[in-house]
Amino acid sequence: MDFLWQERVEGRRGPKPALTLDAIADVAIVVADAEGLAAVSMQRVAADLGYTKMALYRYLPGKSELVAVMLERGLGVPPELPPGDWRAALTLWAESLISAFVAHPWALEASAGSRPVGPRELGWMEAALSRLPDGLTGAERMDAVAVVAGHVRSIVVQPGESGMLAALTEHAARFPAISAALADIAVRGGHDQAFRFGLERILDGLERLVTQRKQASVKDSRSG
Amino acid sequence: MDFLWQERVEGRRGPKPALTLDAIADVAIVVADAEGLAAVSMQRVAADLGYTKMALYRYLPGKSELVAVMLERGLGVPPELPPGDWRAALTLWAESLISAFVAHPWALEASAGSRPVGPRELGWMEAALSRLPDGLTGAERMDAVAVVAGHVRSIVVQPGESGMLAALTEHAARFPAISAALADIAVRGGHDQAFRFGLERILDGLERLVTQRKQASVKDSRSG
DNA sequence: AAATAACTGAGTCCAATGGAAACAGTTTTG
DNA sequence: CAAAACTGTTTCCATTGGACTCAGTTATTT
């Protein structure tokens, strides 16, 4: 987890390092973008760099750390969110996040499970948190961001439709509700529709909570 | 994808198979539950069964198919949803799904990405779809279920808090919003709180949409 | 009943993986 | 200058998923 936060100390003994952590990660990202995360092996990355596999271990403890660095660089820095409407800000945030995931599909797999967190990832979290409306507890704020981020993830994963369609052609009768719904889906615009729909439901739900609380607190101050 | 839907044909020549697909998957599930999906190898599963690795390939084309079968069995059958309130039904559905994921944490990893879909997985989808309120298009119904399922997934993933806390102890100043929110989290009840919060926001958002449309259609029929 | 064809599980072999350990060469520090 | 620290390379290993072969078993066919 150190290497995610701390850059290399200068002025050490021995030969100058020929590589940098970032250069390694960038090559790995190129591989992952083109051929998937599975194609990223120490050997492959080292070969693409023109070095031997074990040279990388001078920069990284192991492969999982390489993936962590890839993720940090792949995510990029969070976008500048315009001031004003919190819904617009969160929408832009979610759109940017989904763009990052679409550009680097492996990032989804890489960001699953418990793992060390880097500064950029925290930057994304910070950006969203700071633009949430008032009237939520700290825990609720974390949860709210988690819901939006979870929605983005689930959109990118998209396990279903293609595999579902294949399975349904033979067993449509057993799953009438799916069949009926899918008949409608063929004529719409892919991911984006689903993304918008879910995001707006979530923001609506959030908005309802905060306005509800705002009204309650007004009533409170009036009566007390 | 065949083996997910079709059981073995009886009355074949040759020796009786010593194993069954389900028995193999069950052993693999035990391994995955105890030591994670990474510990599931053909060798390991075969050894636990008392057979050689290559024997398994008589039942499965490859490892990815084993994981697919594991997922089908691990998910189990969807719960019976009580009639009536659609919010209660969807809540129970989401709770059951999260229980399955908590019981089999590897199922999350296994269900990521595009993959063949089995009957039980479709059964879950069908169950949720059939209990959604009226007033949604087919595409929207799919999206609505996807949002809820995505929320469940994101709750189970829970990338953050532990790793985040570790990182924040040293860099709290750089991320004030996270620090403030996390200070609140220490005193609450883990996953469940986040799950409830997000689910209720989503259901609120859905409810708003359908009631909105119901009102619009009433007004419509009055004026036209 | 006998022959055949299909099937079984075991055994051997392979390329690729992540990683450990020891290596010779290079540069800074004492 | 010598020693210490660091570099990238080389050699080695266990484990992985999987292709292929082989002897043995059994249901179907003749």
Side-chain angles (χ1 to χ4, degrees), chain B:
Chain B
M1 46 217 90
D2 240 17
F3 50 88
L4 280 178
W5 289 89
Q6 213 168 356
E7 53 240 34
R8 288 215 149 189
V9 197
E10 290 291 328
R12 325 166 69 179
R13 295 188 186 179
K16 304 275 180 190
L19 301 170
T20 63
L21 201 53
D22 289 347
I24 296 172
D26 286 344
V27 167
I29 287 175
V30 170
V31 173
D33 284 348
E35 304 169 45
L37 194 58
V40 175
S41 72
M42 300 304 252
Q43 240 156 5
R44 172 64 188 278
V45 172
D48 283 17
L49 281 162
Y51 288 82
T52 53
K53 174 183 63 162
M54 291 316 291
L56 304 189
Y57 285 95
R58 298 281 170 196
Y59 302 84
L60 292 160
K63 194 198 175 178
S64 63
E65 286 82 4
L66 170 60
V67 176
V69 179
M70 287 172 64
L71 185 62
E72 272 284 302
R73 289 187 74 78
L75 275 182
V77 286
E80 286 290 324
L81 301 181
D85 183 17
W86 64 268
R87 289 186 63 125
L90 284 185
T91 302
L92 175 60
W93 184 86
E95 284 169 351
S96 306
L97 188 58
I98 219 171
S99 298
F101 274 117
V102 166
H104 306 294
W106 48 267
L108 195 92
E109 191 180 340
S111 65
S114 218
R115 66 215 149 63
V117 181
R120 289 190 176 174
E121 189 175 353
L122 283 188
W124 280 87
M125 190 79 184
E126 176 80 16
L129 273 175
S130 64
R131 298 307 307 278
L132 278 176
D134 293 332
L136 300 172
T137 71
E140 285 171 347
R141 300 176 78 82
M142 295 292 287
D143 298 344
V145 176
V147 177
V148 176
H151 176 55
V152 167
R153 293 180 65 92
S154 83
I155 289 297
V156 179
V157 178
Q158 200 75 332
E161 296 181 11
S162 60
M164 244 187 242
L165 274 170
L168 269 182
T169 54
E170 294 191 13
H171 307 88
R174 279 175 62 184
F175 306 100
I178 305 180
S179 304
L182 274 178
D184 206 21
I185 278 196
V187 289
R188 67 153 186 167
H191 279 191
D192 203 55
Q193 211 89 7
F195 170 64
R196 304 264 162 217
F197 178 83
L199 183 60
E200 266 161 40
R201 274 346 107 222
I202 293 169
L203 297 183
D204 279 357
L206 275 176
E207 188 166 355
R208 175 163 180 248
L209 181 66
V210 297
T211 57
Q212 198 172 275
R213 287 196 180 158
K214 206 177 294 173
Q215 288 168 358
S217 78
V218 166
K219 202 190 295 178
D220 222 40
S221 67
R222 255 187 297 171
S223 74

Side-chain angles (χ1 to χ4, degrees), chain A residues 8 12-15 18 52 54-55 58-59:
Chain A
R8 287 214 150 190
R12 325 167 67 178
R13 293 187 188 181
T52 53
M54 291 315 291
R58 297 283 173 195
Y59 302 82

Side-chain angles (χ1 to χ4, degrees), chain A residues 125 128-147, chain B residues 177 180-181 184-185 197:
Chain A
M125 190 78 185
L129 274 175
S130 64
R131 299 304 307 278
L132 279 175
D134 293 333
L136 300 173
T137 71
E140 285 170 347
R141 300 177 77 82
M142 296 292 288
D143 298 343
V145 176
V147 177
Chain B
D184 206 21
I185 278 196
F197 178 83

Side-chain angles (χ1 to χ4, degrees), chain A residues 78-82 92:
Chain A
E80 286 290 323
L81 301 181
L92 175 61

Side-chain angles (χ1 to χ4, degrees), chain A residues 1 5 14 35 39 42 44 48 71 83 98 112 122 125 131 142 154 162 165 168 174 180 183 186 197:
Chain A
M1 45 218 92
W5 290 88
E35 305 169 44
M42 300 304 249
R44 172 65 189 278
D48 282 17
L71 185 63
I98 220 171
L122 282 189
M125 190 78 185
R131 299 304 307 278
M142 296 292 288
S154 84
S162 61
L165 274 171
L168 269 183
R174 277 176 63 184
F197 179 83

